[in-house]
Amino acid sequence: MKSFTYQRADSATLAAAATLKPGAKIIAGGTNLLDLMKLQIETPSSLIDINRLPLDKIEDTPDGGLRIGALVRNSDLAADPRVRQRYGVLSRALLAGASAQLRNKATTGGNLLQRTRCYYFYDITKPCNKRSPGSGCAALAGFNRIHAILGTSEHCIATHPSDMAVAMRALDARVETVDREGGTKVIPIAEFHRLPGNAPEIETSLKSGEIITAVTLPPPPPGVQVYRKVRDRASYAFALVSVAAIVDCTRGRIRSARLAFGGLAHKPWRSARAEQRLTDAPANTATFNAAAKAVLEGARGFGGNDFKIALTRRTLHSVLAETTRT
Ligand code: SF4
């Protein structure tokens, strides 16, 4: 392992400033970063530990939403009574992620910033544009069972691994940041994660010199909330396909719907067209088919992951049947 310096940050602005140093990395729970360091995929020159900053509170906001500090642990967020009662989709998504031990350490901010689990990204003997820009993408013609079918590029077909972020996308969360001068910014989660394009190494809109301080949730939308995760084993596995759904349906008619998907793209995926197909429509197979068709518009398999197209369709049908059952 390459040697690195370690410092504890005294304030969020100092932590933000410290990230401007070449090779500097923020560490919070460390559940992803330490693995990456052990494999020499991340080789920071310095670690800035933010665990002592006062960013571990969950607070009500005046509009009826919640403000979640960046250092709130995944377990604490999932167990918070307000999250369980008003944002069930988020609580379930968190509990579907990782293992109990990891959830006890992993933080809200770190969860948003975790790196892909593409096998080739973790194998330094293989080409990977995300790890080593310009080297190629071994997954395109390789073993790509877990890879993306939407929003891909010829440079990268990796997926974003978070469950939490998928629920937050359905909830229209906003990411709050601070920079080295104390300037704050609010980034809608839809704009926080990026598609790979020709620069898959840039995964979020977070700039150097900025750190995440909180995530805010607007008041919960009306409707039944469901998080469904399909994976290779019942726990401690990443999603092949996941759906976060919030569907408001009365007497067989859908009034509104929000759908976000995990396991399909480089970022939590949302389809406005699919939601339009569901809005003010009867809750029946034809409507569900139209929504699935809209979600999968432009979907492309790469061999090993072709099955995700049919799996997404079936999973969405099942989730819509559950959320519209009267
Ligand atoms: Fe690297 Fe992305 Fe290709 Fe995986 S899919 S090998 S992360 S470039």
Side-chain angles (χ1 to χ4, degrees):
M1 181 175 279
K2 276 174 70 174
S3 60
F4 55 88
T5 61
Y6 169 86
Q7 74 181 89
R8 283 197 180 120
D10 295 325
S11 74
T13 49
L14 285 177
T19 64
L20 290 167
K21 232 169 56 184
K25 282 272 167 199
I26 296 285
I27 184 160
T31 56
N32 189 208
L33 179 61
L34 294 178
D35 283 346
L36 292 164
M37 286 173 68
K38 286 180 210 162
L39 293 166
Q40 303 279 301
I41 293 155
E42 293 277 12
T43 51
S45 58
S46 58
L47 284 186
I48 301 120
D49 185 340
I50 59 168
N51 280 295
R52 295 195 178 184
L53 299 182
L55 300 174
D56 58 350
K57 307 271 184 308
I58 305 172
E59 298 162 314
D60 291 300
T61 58
D63 66 353
L66 278 186
R67 185 171 187 273
I68 304 156
L71 291 175
V72 172
R73 308 286 155 174
N74 286 179
S75 303
D76 294 335
L77 185 57
D80 186 279
R82 293 162 293 185
V83 175
R84 291 182 60 184
Q85 282 160 20
R86 285 149 50 194
Y87 302 97
V89 67
L90 177 58
S91 183
R92 287 191 199 107
L94 284 158
L95 293 173
S99 65
Q101 292 92 335
L102 287 167
R103 293 193 294 269
N104 287 341
K105 285 299 288 177
T107 62
T108 302
N111 191 314
L112 290 175
L113 295 172
Q114 63 181 301
R115 314 290 309 269
T116 183
R117 265 48 178 198
C118 170
Y119 323 112
Y120 303 104
F121 177 68
Y122 287 79
D123 180 349
I124 56 172
T125 67
K126 297 291 187 298
C128 169
N129 286 323
K130 188 183 281 297
R131 176 173 26 80
S132 177
S135 63
C137 172
L140 279 170
F143 187 64
N144 49 39
R145 173 177 166 73
I146 63 168
H147 287 75
I149 57 170
L150 289 164
T152 56
S153 78
E154 60 185 313
H155 302 285
C156 180
I157 58 171
T159 55
H160 193 271
S162 172
D163 293 291
M164 182 197 82
V166 177
M168 286 184 170
R169 182 84 206 266
L171 290 164
D172 283 334
R174 296 183 298 266
V175 182
E176 294 182 17
T177 67
V178 69
D179 66 23
R180 63 179 166 156
E181 273 139 19
T184 57
K185 212 155 79 181
V186 176
I187 307 168
I189 195 161
E191 293 161 26
F192 186 76
H193 295 104
R194 297 177 78 250
L195 290 177
N198 57 11
E201 72 280 12
I202 305 171
E203 295 169 346
T204 69
S205 55
L206 195 68
K207 300 272 183 290
S208 179
E210 272 179 344
I211 66 164
I212 299 174
T213 49
V215 174
T216 47
L217 303 179
V224 176
Q225 300 185 17
V226 163
Y227 187 74
R228 179 79 56 85
K229 180 174 181 178
V230 182
R231 48 187 159 173
D232 279 330
R233 57 173 183 243
S235 93
Y236 199 39
F238 293 95
L240 293 167
V241 175
S242 68
V243 184
I246 306 170
V247 180
D248 186 16
C249 180
T250 312
R251 290 190 289 278
R253 193 146 195 99
I254 301 169
R255 292 162 183 258
S256 65
R258 294 193 194 181
L259 302 171
F261 296 83
L264 300 186
H266 199 255
K267 61 188 281 185
W269 192 263
R270 196 143 162 207
S271 165
R273 290 187 66 168
E275 293 174 11
Q276 280 162 13
R277 296 280 182 281
L278 292 167
T279 301
D280 202 22
N284 59 27
T285 305
T287 301
F288 300 169
N289 280 341
K293 196 170 164 208
V295 170
L296 290 164
E297 206 174 316
R300 176 190 167 196
F302 293 85
N305 66 350
D306 292 351
F307 72 96
K308 283 193 178 186
I309 294 175
L311 185 61
T312 303
R313 192 178 301 120
R314 288 200 301 272
T315 308
L316 180 58
H317 266 256
S318 168
V319 165
L320 290 173
E322 180 182 341
T323 50
T324 57
R325 200 172 291 138
T326 48

